[in-house]
Amino acid sequence: QVQLVESGGGLVQAGGSLRLSCAASGRTFSSKAMGWFRQAPGKEREFVATISWTGGSTYYTESVQGRFIISRDNAKNTVYLQMNSLKPEDTAVYYCAQLRRGVRSTANDVDYWGQGIQVTVSS
């Protein structure tokens, strides 16, 4: 069993930055791709970014490309999402996920989800 616990969310003004962290329990973390997804009110959960188990490959949804950076520290069993130049449309609950199918995984290819953390960007 794997537990994922997100932290670092909150309220920020447009143009600001936040860094989300996801601490994982369990021995499989360092051998699994990880990802961040988000869900805004009234919308489906969507892919944000994924990272390979080595950290050598990363993928981003187009809307966050150049603004968000996903990274991981396997020694700390933690994955991060640095969010810069935040926009009101980034407002959502953000979820950390352990992926079943590598960096090309979708929301249907998740073995474990975190509980989610709110990110609110005011205009």
Short mmCIF file of all heavy atoms in Angstrom, two decimals, residues 48-85:
data_model
loop_
_atom_site.label_atom_id
_atom_site.label_comp_id
_atom_site.label_asym_id
_atom_site.label_seq_id
_atom_site.Cartn_x
_atom_site.Cartn_y
_atom_site.Cartn_z
N VAL A 48 -1.59 17.31 -15.55
CA VAL A 48 -0.78 18.53 -15.47
C VAL A 48 0.65 18.24 -15.88
O VAL A 48 1.19 18.87 -16.78
CB VAL A 48 -0.81 19.14 -14.06
CG1 VAL A 48 0.10 20.36 -13.98
CG2 VAL A 48 -2.24 19.51 -13.67
N ALA A 49 1.28 17.27 -15.20
CA ALA A 49 2.69 16.96 -15.46
C ALA A 49 3.01 15.57 -14.95
O ALA A 49 2.40 15.10 -13.99
CB ALA A 49 3.60 17.98 -14.80
N THR A 50 3.97 14.92 -15.62
CA THR A 50 4.45 13.63 -15.15
C THR A 50 5.98 13.60 -15.21
O THR A 50 6.59 14.38 -15.96
CB THR A 50 3.91 12.45 -15.99
OG1 THR A 50 4.25 12.67 -17.37
CG2 THR A 50 2.40 12.32 -15.87
N ILE A 51 6.56 12.70 -14.44
CA ILE A 51 8.01 12.56 -14.39
C ILE A 51 8.35 11.08 -14.28
O ILE A 51 7.69 10.32 -13.56
CB ILE A 51 8.59 13.37 -13.22
CG1 ILE A 51 10.12 13.37 -13.24
CG2 ILE A 51 8.06 12.87 -11.87
CD1 ILE A 51 10.74 14.41 -12.31
N SER A 52 9.38 10.67 -15.01
CA SER A 52 9.80 9.27 -14.99
C SER A 52 10.43 8.91 -13.65
O SER A 52 10.76 9.79 -12.85
CB SER A 52 10.79 9.02 -16.12
OG SER A 52 11.97 9.79 -15.92
N TRP A 53 10.64 7.62 -13.43
CA TRP A 53 11.17 7.20 -12.13
C TRP A 53 12.59 7.71 -11.90
O TRP A 53 12.99 7.94 -10.77
CB TRP A 53 11.10 5.68 -11.98
CG TRP A 53 12.02 4.90 -12.88
CD1 TRP A 53 11.78 4.50 -14.16
CD2 TRP A 53 13.32 4.42 -12.54
NE1 TRP A 53 12.86 3.81 -14.65
CE2 TRP A 53 13.82 3.73 -13.68
CE3 TRP A 53 14.13 4.49 -11.41
CZ2 TRP A 53 15.07 3.13 -13.69
CZ3 TRP A 53 15.37 3.88 -11.42
CH2 TRP A 53 15.84 3.20 -12.56
N THR A 54 13.34 7.94 -12.98
CA THR A 54 14.69 8.47 -12.83
C THR A 54 14.69 9.99 -12.73
O THR A 54 15.69 10.59 -12.33
CB THR A 54 15.56 8.09 -14.03
OG1 THR A 54 15.01 8.71 -15.21
CG2 THR A 54 15.62 6.59 -14.21
N GLY A 55 13.59 10.61 -13.14
CA GLY A 55 13.55 12.06 -13.22
C GLY A 55 14.06 12.59 -14.55
O GLY A 55 14.05 13.79 -14.79
N GLY A 56 14.49 11.70 -15.42
CA GLY A 56 15.09 12.12 -16.68
C GLY A 56 14.11 12.55 -17.75
O GLY A 56 14.48 13.24 -18.70
N SER A 57 12.85 12.14 -17.61
CA SER A 57 11.83 12.52 -18.60
C SER A 57 10.67 13.19 -17.89
O SER A 57 10.20 12.70 -16.86
CB SER A 57 11.31 11.28 -19.33
OG SER A 57 12.33 10.70 -20.11
N THR A 58 10.22 14.29 -18.45
CA THR A 58 9.07 15.01 -17.91
C THR A 58 8.13 15.40 -19.04
O THR A 58 8.57 15.59 -20.19
CB THR A 58 9.50 16.29 -17.17
OG1 THR A 58 10.25 17.12 -18.06
CG2 THR A 58 10.35 15.96 -15.95
N TYR A 59 6.84 15.49 -18.73
CA TYR A 59 5.85 15.90 -19.70
C TYR A 59 4.87 16.85 -19.02
O TYR A 59 4.57 16.70 -17.85
CB TYR A 59 5.10 14.68 -20.26
CG TYR A 59 5.96 13.82 -21.14
CD1 TYR A 59 6.68 12.76 -20.61
CD2 TYR A 59 6.08 14.08 -22.50
CE1 TYR A 59 7.50 11.98 -21.40
CE2 TYR A 59 6.91 13.30 -23.30
CZ TYR A 59 7.61 12.26 -22.75
OH TYR A 59 8.43 11.48 -23.54
N TYR A 60 4.38 17.81 -19.81
CA TYR A 60 3.49 18.83 -19.28
C TYR A 60 2.32 19.03 -20.21
O TYR A 60 2.44 18.94 -21.43
CB TYR A 60 4.23 20.17 -19.15
CG TYR A 60 5.42 20.13 -18.22
CD1 TYR A 60 6.69 19.84 -18.69
CD2 TYR A 60 5.27 20.40 -16.86
CE1 TYR A 60 7.78 19.80 -17.85
CE2 TYR A 60 6.36 20.37 -16.00
CZ TYR A 60 7.61 20.06 -16.50
OH TYR A 60 8.70 20.02 -15.65
N THR A 61 1.18 19.36 -19.63
CA THR A 61 0.09 19.81 -20.46
C THR A 61 0.45 21.18 -21.03
O THR A 61 1.20 21.95 -20.41
CB THR A 61 -1.22 19.86 -19.66
OG1 THR A 61 -2.32 20.04 -20.54
CG2 THR A 61 -1.22 20.98 -18.63
N GLU A 62 -0.07 21.47 -22.19
CA GLU A 62 0.35 22.68 -22.92
C GLU A 62 0.11 23.95 -22.11
O GLU A 62 0.91 24.89 -22.16
CB GLU A 62 -0.38 22.76 -24.25
CG GLU A 62 0.08 23.90 -25.14
CD GLU A 62 -0.57 23.88 -26.51
OE1 GLU A 62 -1.26 22.88 -26.82
OE2 GLU A 62 -0.42 24.85 -27.26
N SER A 63 -0.95 23.99 -21.35
CA SER A 63 -1.31 25.22 -20.65
C SER A 63 -0.34 25.60 -19.53
O SER A 63 -0.34 26.75 -19.08
CB SER A 63 -2.73 25.12 -20.09
OG SER A 63 -2.80 24.10 -19.11
N VAL A 64 0.49 24.66 -19.07
CA VAL A 64 1.43 24.97 -18.00
C VAL A 64 2.88 24.92 -18.48
O VAL A 64 3.80 25.23 -17.72
CB VAL A 64 1.26 24.02 -16.80
CG1 VAL A 64 -0.18 23.97 -16.35
CG2 VAL A 64 1.78 22.62 -17.09
N GLN A 65 3.08 24.53 -19.73
CA GLN A 65 4.43 24.44 -20.28
C GLN A 65 5.14 25.78 -20.14
O GLN A 65 4.60 26.83 -20.48
CB GLN A 65 4.35 24.05 -21.76
CG GLN A 65 5.68 23.77 -22.41
CD GLN A 65 6.20 22.39 -22.10
OE1 GLN A 65 5.43 21.44 -22.02
NE2 GLN A 65 7.51 22.26 -21.93
N GLY A 66 6.37 25.74 -19.59
CA GLY A 66 7.14 26.95 -19.41
C GLY A 66 6.86 27.68 -18.11
O GLY A 66 7.59 28.61 -17.75
N ARG A 67 5.81 27.27 -17.39
CA ARG A 67 5.48 27.92 -16.11
C ARG A 67 5.66 26.96 -14.93
O ARG A 67 6.02 27.39 -13.84
CB ARG A 67 4.04 28.42 -16.13
CG ARG A 67 3.77 29.46 -17.20
CD ARG A 67 2.37 30.07 -17.01
NE ARG A 67 1.30 29.09 -17.17
CZ ARG A 67 0.38 28.83 -16.23
NH1 ARG A 67 0.41 29.48 -15.08
NH2 ARG A 67 -0.56 27.93 -16.45
N PHE A 68 5.36 25.70 -15.13
CA PHE A 68 5.43 24.69 -14.07
C PHE A 68 6.64 23.79 -14.30
O PHE A 68 7.02 23.51 -15.44
CB PHE A 68 4.18 23.82 -14.04
CG PHE A 68 2.93 24.52 -13.59
CD1 PHE A 68 2.84 25.89 -13.45
CD2 PHE A 68 1.78 23.77 -13.31
CE1 PHE A 68 1.68 26.52 -13.04
CE2 PHE A 68 0.61 24.36 -12.90
CZ PHE A 68 0.57 25.75 -12.77
N ILE A 69 7.22 23.32 -13.19
CA ILE A 69 8.33 22.38 -13.27
C ILE A 69 8.07 21.24 -12.29
O ILE A 69 7.88 21.48 -11.08
CB ILE A 69 9.67 23.05 -12.92
CG1 ILE A 69 9.96 24.19 -13.88
CG2 ILE A 69 10.80 22.02 -12.96
CD1 ILE A 69 11.16 25.03 -13.50
N ILE A 70 8.07 20.02 -12.81
CA ILE A 70 7.93 18.84 -11.95
C ILE A 70 9.32 18.27 -11.70
O ILE A 70 10.18 18.25 -12.59
CB ILE A 70 7.00 17.78 -12.59
CG1 ILE A 70 6.72 16.64 -11.61
CG2 ILE A 70 7.54 17.27 -13.92
CD1 ILE A 70 5.64 15.67 -12.08
N SER A 71 9.56 17.83 -10.47
CA SER A 71 10.84 17.24 -10.10
C SER A 71 10.62 16.21 -9.01
O SER A 71 9.52 16.12 -8.45
CB SER A 71 11.83 18.32 -9.65
OG SER A 71 11.36 18.98 -8.48
N ARG A 72 11.65 15.45 -8.70
CA ARG A 72 11.51 14.44 -7.65
C ARG A 72 12.84 14.24 -6.95
O ARG A 72 13.91 14.47 -7.53
CB ARG A 72 11.01 13.12 -8.22
CG ARG A 72 11.95 12.42 -9.17
CD ARG A 72 11.27 11.24 -9.86
NE ARG A 72 10.88 10.20 -8.91
CZ ARG A 72 9.97 9.27 -9.17
NH1 ARG A 72 9.34 9.25 -10.34
NH2 ARG A 72 9.69 8.34 -8.26
N ASP A 73 12.75 13.79 -5.71
CA ASP A 73 13.92 13.43 -4.91
C ASP A 73 13.65 12.02 -4.38
O ASP A 73 12.90 11.85 -3.42
CB ASP A 73 14.09 14.43 -3.76
CG ASP A 73 15.36 14.18 -2.95
OD1 ASP A 73 15.88 13.05 -2.99
OD2 ASP A 73 15.82 15.10 -2.28
N ASN A 74 14.24 11.03 -5.03
CA ASN A 74 13.96 9.64 -4.65
C ASN A 74 14.50 9.30 -3.26
O ASN A 74 13.98 8.41 -2.59
CB ASN A 74 14.52 8.68 -5.69
CG ASN A 74 13.69 8.69 -6.97
OD1 ASN A 74 12.55 9.16 -6.98
ND2 ASN A 74 14.26 8.19 -8.05
N ALA A 75 15.53 10.01 -2.82
CA ALA A 75 16.07 9.77 -1.48
C ALA A 75 15.07 10.21 -0.41
O ALA A 75 15.08 9.68 0.71
CB ALA A 75 17.38 10.50 -1.30
N LYS A 76 14.22 11.17 -0.76
CA LYS A 76 13.23 11.68 0.20
C LYS A 76 11.83 11.17 -0.11
O LYS A 76 10.86 11.59 0.55
CB LYS A 76 13.23 13.21 0.19
CG LYS A 76 14.53 13.83 0.68
CD LYS A 76 14.43 15.34 0.70
CE LYS A 76 15.72 15.96 1.24
NZ LYS A 76 15.66 17.43 1.26
N ASN A 77 11.70 10.32 -1.13
CA ASN A 77 10.37 9.82 -1.53
C ASN A 77 9.39 10.97 -1.75
O ASN A 77 8.23 10.92 -1.30
CB ASN A 77 9.81 8.86 -0.48
CG ASN A 77 10.29 7.43 -0.67
OD1 ASN A 77 11.29 7.20 -1.36
ND2 ASN A 77 9.61 6.48 -0.07
N THR A 78 9.84 12.00 -2.43
CA THR A 78 9.03 13.19 -2.61
C THR A 78 9.07 13.66 -4.06
O THR A 78 10.12 13.62 -4.70
CB THR A 78 9.51 14.32 -1.69
OG1 THR A 78 9.46 13.88 -0.33
CG2 THR A 78 8.62 15.56 -1.82
N VAL A 79 7.91 14.09 -4.55
CA VAL A 79 7.81 14.70 -5.86
C VAL A 79 7.28 16.13 -5.67
O VAL A 79 6.48 16.39 -4.76
CB VAL A 79 6.91 13.87 -6.80
CG1 VAL A 79 5.49 13.77 -6.27
CG2 VAL A 79 6.92 14.43 -8.21
N TYR A 80 7.74 17.03 -6.50
CA TYR A 80 7.42 18.45 -6.37
C TYR A 80 6.76 18.98 -7.64
O TYR A 80 6.97 18.45 -8.73
CB TYR A 80 8.70 19.25 -6.10
CG TYR A 80 9.49 18.78 -4.91
CD1 TYR A 80 10.58 17.92 -5.09
CD2 TYR A 80 9.17 19.19 -3.62
CE1 TYR A 80 11.33 17.48 -4.00
CE2 TYR A 80 9.91 18.75 -2.53
CZ TYR A 80 10.98 17.90 -2.73
OH TYR A 80 11.71 17.45 -1.66
N LEU A 81 6.03 20.06 -7.47
CA LEU A 81 5.51 20.81 -8.61
C LEU A 81 5.72 22.29 -8.30
O LEU A 81 5.02 22.85 -7.46
CB LEU A 81 4.03 20.52 -8.87
CG LEU A 81 3.47 21.17 -10.13
CD1 LEU A 81 4.10 20.54 -11.38
CD2 LEU A 81 1.94 21.05 -10.19
N GLN A 82 6.70 22.87 -8.96
CA GLN A 82 6.95 24.31 -8.83
C GLN A 82 6.05 25.02 -9.83
O GLN A 82 6.13 24.78 -11.04
CB GLN A 82 8.42 24.62 -9.12
CG GLN A 82 8.75 26.10 -9.08
CD GLN A 82 8.64 26.69 -7.68
OE1 GLN A 82 9.07 26.10 -6.71
NE2 GLN A 82 8.04 27.88 -7.61
N MET A 83 5.21 25.90 -9.33
CA MET A 83 4.24 26.60 -10.17
C MET A 83 4.55 28.08 -10.16
O MET A 83 4.46 28.73 -9.11
CB MET A 83 2.82 26.35 -9.66
CG MET A 83 2.47 24.87 -9.56
SD MET A 83 0.75 24.57 -9.10
CE MET A 83 0.75 25.21 -7.44
N ASN A 84 4.93 28.61 -11.31
CA ASN A 84 5.27 30.03 -11.46
C ASN A 84 4.28 30.72 -12.38
O ASN A 84 3.56 30.07 -13.14
CB ASN A 84 6.68 30.15 -12.03
CG ASN A 84 7.73 29.47 -11.17
OD1 ASN A 84 7.71 29.57 -9.94
ND2 ASN A 84 8.66 28.78 -11.81
N SER A 85 4.28 32.02 -12.32
CA SER A 85 3.39 32.83 -13.17
C SER A 85 1.96 32.30 -13.13
O SER A 85 1.33 32.11 -14.18
CB SER A 85 3.91 32.86 -14.62
OG SER A 85 5.23 33.36 -14.67
#
